[in-house]
């Protein structure tokens, strides 16, 4: 593992690291914020999964998360959104291929050799981080934005017992039913929709509910709201009688100005679960 | 108007008053909390509509609302849930007739002569209160529990421009679709379901949305949740892109122990709108 940068930040350290990934068979870069408390021993961790077109860097510089994480003594991990490089398949669209891994393990060519983002984020990166940094694997929570909100929700439901809480900012809530999802699930997983269901937060919620606290924020002025379909997830969460706060934030759009506006609430929400 | 009682309460006054109602053609009793600030001039007001079997008294003694209202300088009105008396029609069921007015104007016998609760709560009582007490008719918000949550939501959507904000605790969210609603709407309004639609929060939300902030709390251990149908309202609110916080509160039931647990949040929410 190579250290690309380390900056002092809110009394802790914002680092960027590169390593050779077994899951994606590429180099992968990630951001990690460690609060000052990590000097004294393992701290709880909040995973932040990013959206389409993002790298490990967007949220790290635009979400305003480190200050609140420092206040709560929580580490933040910012993974990349896909494998990258000249040897990695890509697509001219911004919403498929590099920068658009959708947090699945691709089974279809040309994607299958490198696009193994579920395994990378769910298995390999947690192992790497808990072995190399003062991060407590027993106290993990997860959040994300847009495609990353989809990733956070599906991992929280798919990896039962892993996370203490889950939140999402404007998640792709029902990808099997919309254009942000059908195209990608078809490309990565093939045309058999049975394989898609475990990557759809609304379907997973309807089938198995969720046994950890949930917070979702969705801006009402989000230009992509018809693709995100919060109404499907809200109905499924209510029907499943989960512990959930589902918020429509009037006038907010899909940008990091929206994400940063509610970051304090999300980190406070996760802190409550991580320190319970 | 007759003063039945006045008690000093959190620096203000909790009063109970009786008057002869034109709308219901009966005597009606209501509770009114005035904070200390009312001595200096009109204060904002929060209407609290109660649920099945309740009188003006239940929320007044069990909701724990006065302390938070005093802190915010807000008046509280607690209307009764129906006309009452030997001359008023009734039904053996707890969910029809006296104590179960459903906040509609009945058009069907034997209910029509007295069960005019929409007009009573929406027109007559506001006039009476703003004329006789230091309550500001330009700053009104509304909340309620169960049948009263239904009343609060339908009045907020039906009386555009009247209220600054609306909230509900475990509202009957989609009464045209469930047993808490179909029986009563049929009895009070007759079998033509077209007349029911303007007394169903989910249908109103789907048709016209809502232009004021909304807060809903629903306990997940509520024994009546299948009758309340929060999932229908949550989906409609998300689809309508309203300013709404929709919360599922894990383990809470339908009681005033649930209502009182979240009263601080609701009064804080309304205060923000009333003082904006």
């Amino acid at each position: 593992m190579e250290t690309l940068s380390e900056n002092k930040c809110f009394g802790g350290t914002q680092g960027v690291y590169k390593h050779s990934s077994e899951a994606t068979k590429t180099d992968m870069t990630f951001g990690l914020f460690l609060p000052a408390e990590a000097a004294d021993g393992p701290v709880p961790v909040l995973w932040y999964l990013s959206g389409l077109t993002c790298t490990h860097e967007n949220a790290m510089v635009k979400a305003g998360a480190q200050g609140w994480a420092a206040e709560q003594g929580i580490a933040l991990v910012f993974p990349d959104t896909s494998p990258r490089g000249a040897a990695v398949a890509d697509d001219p669209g911004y919403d498929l291929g590099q920068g658009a891994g959708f947090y699945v393990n691709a089974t279809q060519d040309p994607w299958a050799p490198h696009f193994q983002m579920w395994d990378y984020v769910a298995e390999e990166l947690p192992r790497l981080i808990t072995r190399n940094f003062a991060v407590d694997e027993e106290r993990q929570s997860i959040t994300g934005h847009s495609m990353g909100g989809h990733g956070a929700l599906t991992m929280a439901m798919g990896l039962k017992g892993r996370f203490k809480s889950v939140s999402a900012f404007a998640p792709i809530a029902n990808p099997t039913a919309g254009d942000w999802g059908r195209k990608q699930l078809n490309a990565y997983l093939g045309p058999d929709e049975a394989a898609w269901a475990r990557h759809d937060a609304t379907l997973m919620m309807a089938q198995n509910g969720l046994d950890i606290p949930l917070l979702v924020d969705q801006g009402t002025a989000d230009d992509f709201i018809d693709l995100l379909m919060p109404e499907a997830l809200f109905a499924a969460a209510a029907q499943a009688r989960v512990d959930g706060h589902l918020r429509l934030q009037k006038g907010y759009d899909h940008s990091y100005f929206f994400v940063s506006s509610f970051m304090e609430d999300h980190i406070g929400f996760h802190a409550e679960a991580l320190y319970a």
Side-chain angles (χ1 to χ4, degrees), chain A:
Chain A
M1 192 173 58
E2 181 185 349
T3 300
L4 299 185
S5 63
E6 287 185 333
N7 297 83
K8 187 157 182 177
C9 181
F10 289 97
T13 304
Q14 177 61 60
V16 178
Y17 308 93
K18 188 166 83 172
H19 68 114
S20 171
S21 164
E22 288 173 27
T24 67
K25 299 183 180 61
T26 62
D27 283 351
M28 291 295 288
T29 302
F30 65 92
L32 173 68
F33 170 75
L34 286 177
E37 289 81 352
D40 304 321
V43 295
V45 60
L46 176 62
W47 291 78
Y48 182 101
L49 304 188
S50 287
L52 290 167
T53 77
C54 290
T55 68
H56 68 282
E57 194 183 22
N58 300 64
M60 202 181 90
V61 300
K62 295 196 295 185
Q66 292 95 339
W68 305 116
E71 198 168 295
Q72 301 283 0
I74 292 173
L76 299 169
V77 190
F78 303 99
D80 202 348
T81 58
S82 79
R84 296 178 189 276
V88 174
D90 204 0
D91 183 272
Y94 73 96
D95 60 355
L96 187 67
Q98 297 189 32
F102 255 77
Y103 306 101
V104 302
N105 291 332
T107 58
Q108 308 294 305
D109 286 330
W111 313 107
H114 300 291
F115 283 76
Q116 301 293 318
M117 288 302 290
W118 180 280
D119 278 355
Y120 175 68
V121 174
E123 304 300 337
E124 183 177 8
L125 193 53
R127 266 200 314 272
L128 183 81
I129 284 174
T130 54
R131 282 181 193 168
N132 288 279
F133 300 95
V135 165
D136 183 355
E137 68 178 324
E138 300 299 320
R139 288 183 293 165
Q140 300 187 57
S141 289
I142 192 164
T143 187
H145 173 225
S146 195
M147 176 183 75
H150 146 76
L153 293 167
T154 54
M155 288 198 176
M157 289 188 271
L159 301 166
K160 260 179 100 80
R162 170 79 61 90
F163 301 106
K164 302 294 188 195
S165 50
V166 56
S167 75
F169 300 86
I172 300 176
N174 192 191
T176 63
D179 285 344
W180 269 0
R182 294 190 61 82
K183 170 183 176 177
Q184 296 83 355
L185 295 171
N186 186 61
Y188 295 140
L189 303 179
D192 178 5
E193 297 192 23
W196 302 4
R198 70 189 187 88
H199 296 288
D200 183 302
T202 294
L203 298 181
M204 296 172 86
M205 181 69 81
Q207 187 163 16
N208 293 316
L210 175 68
D211 58 1
I212 55 174
L214 166 70
L215 171 63
V216 177
D217 272 314
Q218 171 62 58
T220 65
D222 188 324
D223 285 338
F224 304 103
I225 196 167
D226 290 335
L227 298 166
L228 302 168
M229 284 177 280
E231 58 280 4
L233 179 64
F234 284 22
Q239 189 67 61
R241 320 308 192 203
V242 303
D243 181 356
H245 290 195
L246 310 163
R247 312 193 304 185
L248 299 159
Q249 302 289 8
K250 191 74 179 175
Y252 286 90
D253 62 23
H254 200 67
S255 70
Y256 269 91
F257 297 112
F258 155 67
V259 172
S260 58
S261 295
F262 300 101
M263 186 56 75
E264 179 183 8
D265 290 358
H266 283 245
I267 291 184
F269 160 80
H270 290 295
E272 202 167 309
L274 289 165
Y275 289 111

